[in-house]
Amino acid sequence: MELEVRHLRALCAIAEAGSLRKAARQLGMSQPSLTTQLRRIENALGAELFARERTGCRPTPLGHSVLSRARPLVDGMATLVSEARAAADLAAGPRLRIGSTASRALGGWLRRLRGRLPGTDISLHMDVSAGALLRMVAAGRLDVAFVHEVEGCPLTVPEGLERRVLVEREPQFVSMARDHPAAASPVVALADLAGDRWVVDPTVDGEWDGLRRVLVAAGINPAVLHGDYLTAATLIAVGEAVAPCQPTSGPRDDMAIRPLRDDPLAVRLQLFSRPGATPGAGERPAGIRSLVDEVYADLEAAYREAALRAVGYRQWLTHHKSPLLHAPAA
């Protein structure tokens, strides 16, 4: 087998993550596929590059040697691709490449951006992994990324990215069947859900670790189901599970959404970009704010719109006297 850049990228990801499972998630592939790929690379080189241990993978002496050569090659290729794409973007016309984790604000955000930037090719890349989106921004494959960071589970942010915090602490509500006994209360305590199964998507960065931390602190050890949130909605509606959800979630006839007492679950909402990047725009007159500032302003307005449209969240914001209730001065 002849080694390719993708093989070197996989080796670097394994070394950085410290485990095949985490590296596979970063690379967007299954763990068995990555394990097979590593075995083929090692067979091609004639020796093990990583020692498999109970706690993860550790580079062997040969592994350290190979990684010292691989990293500059991978970085160089990333730079080449980024610069080539930037040149192609200039030739193709204005573009704005947006990345985002799931959010009810996306529709309003895109609508505002299309009105602000007529003639600009605006694309959207969705991913459950905030970390993957940040790496795409750092590599020049996205211009901005709107992501959530689970409280207690900080994101690994690539060096050099600029951060704008939209909401420092967004409470996470809980969704349950409409006829769940706890749904009769306007606010639900975790203790009221001690006998329920919880469903969580383990592919969302920090989601399971954050929920587990909160449940352990509350002295609760419920059964947990792992699955995507589309499947979760079906289970919740028939009373088979409950799940954390965004407070901006829309109403459903078969589901109740309630805030949790004392707001134990929360996320930070942030917009990331690369310094100096001016996506979708050429030179701007002095005194005119950067396009990233305008992109952020449209996101802020769209999020406020989504927040105030959700009755339960609007009541929560009113009770906590949130500044989100008031639009900033123009």
Side-chain angles (χ1 to χ4, degrees):
M1 182 185 77
E2 185 175 341
L3 289 185
E4 302 172 12
V5 173
R6 64 188 178 92
H7 299 136
L8 303 182
R9 187 178 297 115
L11 295 179
C12 292
I14 295 169
E16 177 185 340
S19 79
L20 287 167
R21 179 181 61 81
K22 292 179 181 178
R25 188 167 65 178
Q26 288 182 11
L27 294 167
M29 60 194 302
S30 68
Q31 181 176 334
S33 296
L34 181 57
T35 300
T36 299
Q37 187 175 95
L38 175 58
R39 188 179 301 115
R40 288 174 178 168
I41 295 170
E42 291 178 328
N43 288 340
L45 296 178
E48 284 194 344
L49 300 179
F50 291 91
R52 280 70 155 179
E53 300 174 344
R54 186 176 58 82
T55 56
C57 292
R58 178 174 50 82
T60 63
L62 176 61
H64 281 295
S65 177
V66 171
L67 286 165
S68 68
R69 297 289 192 90
R71 288 189 176 105
L73 293 173
V74 171
D75 291 343
M77 181 58 73
T79 300
L80 184 154
V81 172
S82 177
E83 292 177 352
R85 284 176 173 156
D89 289 346
L90 289 175
R95 293 178 61 191
L96 177 61
R97 298 163 302 174
I98 294 172
S100 181
T101 50
S103 172
R104 294 277 174 171
L106 284 178
W109 189 23
L110 291 175
R111 184 181 71 247
R112 286 172 169 81
L113 289 173
R114 295 192 193 284
R116 183 188 294 277
L117 304 170
T120 297
D121 178 14
I122 301 174
S123 63
L124 174 65
H125 179 89
M126 298 291 297
D127 200 308
V128 297
S129 171
L133 292 171
L134 298 188
R135 289 190 292 274
M136 291 179 71
V137 175
R141 295 164 59 194
L142 292 174
D143 297 308
V144 296
F146 174 44
V147 302
H148 70 273
E149 179 179 49
V150 177
E151 189 171 68
C153 304
L155 293 171
T156 299
V157 180
E159 186 176 354
L161 294 191
E162 290 184 344
R163 177 199 318 249
R164 289 170 172 81
V165 177
L166 176 68
V167 178
E168 181 63 40
R169 193 173 192 272
E170 180 196 68
Q172 298 300 280
F173 288 4
V174 63
S175 54
M176 64 193 78
R178 176 64 65 179
D179 59 357
H180 192 292
S185 302
V187 179
V188 176
L190 281 174
D192 298 333
L193 308 172
D196 288 281
R197 297 182 186 88
W198 286 75
V199 61
V200 65
D201 187 343
T203 65
V204 179
D205 292 344
E207 197 92 339
W208 168 226
D209 290 338
L211 176 61
R212 179 171 51 188
R213 177 182 60 84
V214 168
L215 293 176
V216 168
I220 298 174
N221 185 28
V224 175
L225 305 175
H226 288 171
D228 64 87
Y229 284 122
L230 184 60
T231 303
T234 302
L235 296 175
I236 293 165
V238 298
E240 283 297 311
V242 299
C245 68
Q246 297 176 5
T248 50
S249 299
R252 287 180 47 153
D253 293 338
D254 56 359
M255 193 179 296
I257 296 172
R258 298 288 184 268
L260 288 167
R261 182 169 297 152
D262 300 324
D263 307 310
L265 282 169
V267 301
R268 178 190 291 159
L269 302 180
Q270 304 165 95
L271 182 74
F272 286 88
S273 61
R274 285 176 295 121
T278 54
E283 292 296 322
R284 295 196 148 213
I288 301 298
R289 62 184 177 177
S290 75
L291 183 61
V292 175
D293 288 337
E294 294 179 346
V295 167
Y296 176 81
D298 283 345
L299 173 60
E300 187 177 37
Y303 180 81
R304 182 181 302 104
E305 179 182 64
L308 298 183
R309 190 168 53 235
V311 176
Y313 193 23
R314 186 172 68 242
Q315 292 172 344
W316 186 95
L317 294 169
T318 300
H319 177 74
H320 290 82
K321 299 180 173 59
S322 170
L324 272 174
L325 294 167
H326 313 289

Coordinates of all heavy atoms in Angstrom, one line a residue, residues 150-152 169-174 187-191 193 198 209-218 220 244 258-267 316 320:
V150 N -21.5 22.6 25.5 CA -22.2 22.1 26.7 C -21.4 22.6 27.9 O -20.2 22.4 28.0 CB -22.3 20.6 26.6 CG1 -22.9 20.0 27.9 CG2 -23.1 20.2 25.4
E151 N -22.1 23.1 28.9 CA -21.5 23.5 30.1 C -20.8 22.4 30.8 O -21.3 21.3 31.0 CB -22.6 24.1 31.1 CG -22.1 24.8 32.3 CD -23.2 25.5 33.1 OE1 -24.1 24.8 33.6 OE2 -23.2 26.7 33.1
G152 N -19.5 22.6 31.2 CA -18.7 21.6 31.9 C -18.0 20.7 30.9 O -17.2 19.9 31.4
R169 N -25.2 31.7 28.7 CA -25.7 30.5 29.3 C -27.2 30.3 28.9 O -28.1 30.9 29.5 CB -25.6 30.5 30.8 CG -25.9 29.2 31.6 CD -25.6 29.3 33.0 NE -25.6 28.0 33.6 CZ -26.6 27.3 34.1 NH1 -27.8 27.9 34.0 NH2 -26.5 26.1 34.6
E170 N -27.4 29.4 27.9 CA -28.8 29.1 27.5 C -29.2 27.9 28.2 O -28.6 26.8 28.2 CB -28.8 28.8 26.0 CG -30.2 28.5 25.5 CD -30.2 27.8 24.1 OE1 -29.7 26.7 24.0 OE2 -30.7 28.5 23.1
P171 N -30.4 28.0 29.0 CA -30.8 26.8 29.7 C -31.4 25.8 28.8 O -31.9 26.1 27.7 CB -32.0 27.4 30.6 CG -32.5 28.5 29.7 CD -31.3 29.1 29.1
Q172 N -31.2 24.5 29.1 CA -31.7 23.4 28.4 C -33.0 22.9 29.1 O -33.0 22.7 30.3 CB -30.7 22.3 28.2 CG -29.5 22.7 27.5 CD -29.8 23.2 26.1 OE1 -30.0 22.4 25.1 NE2 -29.8 24.5 25.9
F173 N -34.1 22.9 28.3 CA -35.3 22.4 28.9 C -35.4 20.9 28.7 O -34.5 20.2 28.3 CB -36.5 23.0 28.1 CG -36.7 24.5 28.5 CD1 -35.8 25.2 29.3 CD2 -37.8 25.2 27.9 CE1 -36.0 26.5 29.6 CE2 -37.9 26.6 28.2 CZ -37.1 27.2 29.1
V174 N -36.5 20.3 29.1 CA -36.7 18.8 28.9 C -38.0 18.6 28.2 O -39.0 19.3 28.4 CB -36.7 18.1 30.3 CG1 -37.9 18.6 31.2 CG2 -36.7 16.6 30.2
V187 N -42.7 24.0 35.9 CA -41.3 23.8 36.0 C -41.1 22.3 36.6 O -41.8 21.9 37.5 CB -40.6 24.8 36.9 CG1 -39.1 24.5 37.1 CG2 -40.9 26.2 36.4
V188 N -40.1 21.6 36.0 CA -39.9 20.2 36.4 C -38.6 20.1 37.1 O -37.6 20.6 36.7 CB -39.9 19.3 35.1 CG1 -39.6 17.9 35.5 CG2 -41.3 19.4 34.4
A189 N -38.6 19.3 38.2 CA -37.4 19.0 38.9 C -36.8 17.7 38.4 O -37.6 16.8 37.9 CB -37.7 18.8 40.4
L190 N -35.5 17.5 38.4 CA -34.9 16.3 38.0 C -35.4 15.1 38.7 O -35.6 14.0 38.2 CB -33.4 16.4 38.1 CG -32.6 17.2 37.0 CD1 -31.2 17.3 37.4 CD2 -32.8 16.5 35.6
A191 N -35.7 15.3 40.0 CA -36.2 14.2 40.8 C -37.5 13.7 40.3 O -37.9 12.5 40.5 CB -36.4 14.6 42.3
L193 N -38.2 13.1 37.3 CA -37.9 12.3 36.1 C -36.9 11.1 36.5 O -36.4 10.5 35.6 CB -37.2 13.1 35.1 CG -38.0 14.4 34.7 CD1 -37.1 15.3 33.8 CD2 -39.3 14.1 34.1
W198 N -33.7 8.2 29.8 CA -33.3 9.4 29.1 C -32.7 9.0 27.8 O -32.0 8.0 27.7 CB -32.2 10.2 29.9 CG -32.8 10.9 31.1 CD1 -33.2 10.4 32.3 CD2 -33.0 12.4 31.2 NE1 -33.7 11.4 33.1 CE2 -33.5 12.6 32.5 CE3 -32.7 13.4 30.4 CZ2 -33.8 13.9 33.0 CZ3 -33.0 14.7 30.8 CH2 -33.6 14.9 32.1
D209 N -21.7 13.6 28.2 CA -20.9 13.9 29.4 C -21.6 15.0 30.3 O -21.6 14.9 31.5 CB -19.5 14.3 29.0 CG -18.7 13.2 28.4 OD1 -19.0 12.0 28.7 OD2 -17.7 13.4 27.7
G210 N -22.1 16.0 29.6 CA -22.8 17.1 30.3 C -24.0 16.6 31.1 O -24.3 16.9 32.2
L211 N -24.8 15.8 30.4 CA -26.1 15.2 31.1 C -25.7 14.3 32.2 O -26.3 14.4 33.3 CB -26.9 14.5 30.0 CG -28.2 13.8 30.6 CD1 -29.1 14.8 31.2 CD2 -28.9 13.0 29.5
R212 N -24.7 13.5 32.0 CA -24.3 12.5 33.0 C -23.8 13.3 34.3 O -24.2 12.9 35.4 CB -23.2 11.6 32.5 CG -22.7 10.6 33.6 CD -21.8 9.6 32.9 NE -20.7 10.2 32.1 CZ -19.9 9.6 31.3 NH1 -20.0 8.3 31.2 NH2 -19.0 10.2 30.7
R213 N -23.1 14.3 34.1 CA -22.6 15.1 35.2 C -23.7 15.7 36.0 O -23.7 15.7 37.3 CB -21.7 16.3 34.6 CG -21.2 17.2 35.7 CD -20.3 18.4 35.1 NE -21.1 19.1 34.1 CZ -21.9 20.1 34.5 NH1 -22.0 20.5 35.8 NH2 -22.6 20.8 33.6
V214 N -24.7 16.2 35.3 CA -25.9 16.8 36.0 C -26.7 15.7 36.8 O -27.1 15.9 37.9 CB -26.7 17.6 35.0 CG1 -28.1 18.0 35.6 CG2 -26.0 18.8 34.6
L215 N -26.9 14.6 36.1 CA -27.7 13.5 36.7 C -27.0 13.0 38.0 O -27.6 12.7 39.0 CB -28.0 12.4 35.7 CG -28.9 12.8 34.6 CD1 -29.0 11.6 33.6 CD2 -30.3 13.2 35.0
V216 N -25.7 12.8 37.9 CA -24.9 12.3 39.0 C -25.0 13.3 40.2 O -25.2 12.9 41.3 CB -23.4 12.0 38.6 CG1 -22.6 11.8 39.8 CG2 -23.4 10.8 37.7
A217 N -24.9 14.6 39.9 CA -24.9 15.6 40.9 C -26.3 15.6 41.6 O -26.4 15.9 42.8 CB -24.6 17.0 40.3
A218 N -27.3 15.2 40.9 CA -28.7 15.1 41.4 C -29.0 13.8 42.1 O -30.1 13.6 42.7 CB -29.7 15.4 40.3
I220 N -29.1 10.9 40.6 CA -30.0 10.1 39.8 C -29.2 9.2 38.8 O -28.2 9.7 38.3 CB -30.9 11.0 38.9 CG1 -31.8 11.8 39.9 CG2 -31.8 10.2 38.0 CD1 -32.7 12.8 39.2
P244 N -33.2 16.1 27.0 CA -33.0 17.5 27.1 C -33.3 18.1 25.7 O -33.2 17.4 24.7 CB -31.5 17.6 27.4 CG -30.9 16.3 27.0 CD -32.0 15.3 27.1
R258 N -40.7 21.6 29.1 CA -40.7 22.4 30.3 C -39.3 22.7 30.8 O -38.3 22.0 30.5 CB -41.3 21.5 31.4 CG -42.8 21.1 31.2 CD -43.7 22.2 31.4 NE -45.1 21.8 31.3 CZ -45.8 21.8 30.1 NH1 -45.2 22.2 29.0 NH2 -47.1 21.4 30.1
P259 N -39.2 23.9 31.4 CA -37.9 24.2 32.0 C -37.6 23.3 33.2 O -38.5 22.8 33.9 CB -38.0 25.7 32.4 CG -39.5 25.9 32.6 CD -40.2 24.9 31.6
L260 N -36.3 23.1 33.5 CA -35.9 22.4 34.6 C -35.6 23.3 35.8 O -35.1 24.4 35.6 CB -34.6 21.6 34.3 CG -34.7 20.4 33.4 CD1 -33.4 19.9 32.9 CD2 -35.5 19.3 34.1
R261 N -36.0 22.9 37.0 CA -35.8 23.7 38.2 C -34.3 24.0 38.4 O -33.5 23.1 38.3 CB -36.4 23.1 39.4 CG -36.3 23.9 40.7 CD -37.2 23.3 41.8 NE -38.6 23.3 41.4 CZ -39.5 22.4 41.8 NH1 -39.1 21.4 42.6 NH2 -40.8 22.4 41.4
D262 N -34.0 25.3 38.6 CA -32.7 25.7 38.9 C -31.7 25.6 37.6 O -30.5 25.9 37.7 CB -32.0 25.0 40.0 CG -32.8 25.2 41.3 OD1 -33.3 26.3 41.5 OD2 -32.9 24.2 42.1
D263 N -32.3 25.3 36.5 CA -31.5 25.3 35.2 C -30.2 24.5 35.3 O -29.1 25.1 35.1 CB -31.3 26.7 34.7 CG -32.6 27.5 34.7 OD1 -33.6 26.9 34.1 OD2 -32.7 28.6 35.2
P264 N -30.2 23.3 35.7 CA -28.9 22.6 35.8 C -28.2 22.3 34.5 O -26.9 22.2 34.5 CB -29.3 21.2 36.5 CG -30.7 21.0 36.1 CD -31.3 22.4 36.0
L265 N -28.9 22.2 33.4 CA -28.3 21.9 32.1 C -28.3 23.2 31.3 O -29.3 24.0 31.2 CB -29.1 20.9 31.3 CG -29.0 19.4 31.7 CD1 -30.1 18.6 31.0 CD2 -27.6 18.9 31.3
A266 N -27.1 23.5 30.7 CA -27.0 24.8 29.9 C -25.9 24.6 28.9 O -25.0 23.7 29.0 CB -26.7 25.9 30.9
V267 N -26.0 25.5 27.9 CA -25.0 25.5 26.8 C -24.6 27.0 26.6 O -25.4 27.9 26.9 CB -25.4 24.9 25.5 CG1 -25.8 23.5 25.7 CG2 -26.6 25.7 24.9
W316 N -39.5 32.3 30.5 CA -38.3 32.1 31.3 C -37.4 33.4 31.2 O -36.9 33.9 32.2 CB -37.5 30.9 30.7 CG -36.3 30.6 31.5 CD1 -36.2 29.6 32.5 CD2 -35.0 31.2 31.4 NE1 -34.9 29.6 33.0 CE2 -34.1 30.5 32.3 CE3 -34.4 32.1 30.6 CZ2 -32.8 30.8 32.5 CZ3 -33.1 32.5 30.7 CH2 -32.3 31.8 31.6
H320 N -36.3 36.0 34.3 CA -34.9 36.2 34.6 C -34.5 37.6 34.1 O -33.3 37.9 34.2 CB -34.1 35.1 34.0 CG -34.2 33.8 34.7 ND1 -35.2 32.9 34.4 CD2 -33.4 33.2 35.6 CE1 -35.1 31.8 35.1 NE2 -34.1 32.0 35.9

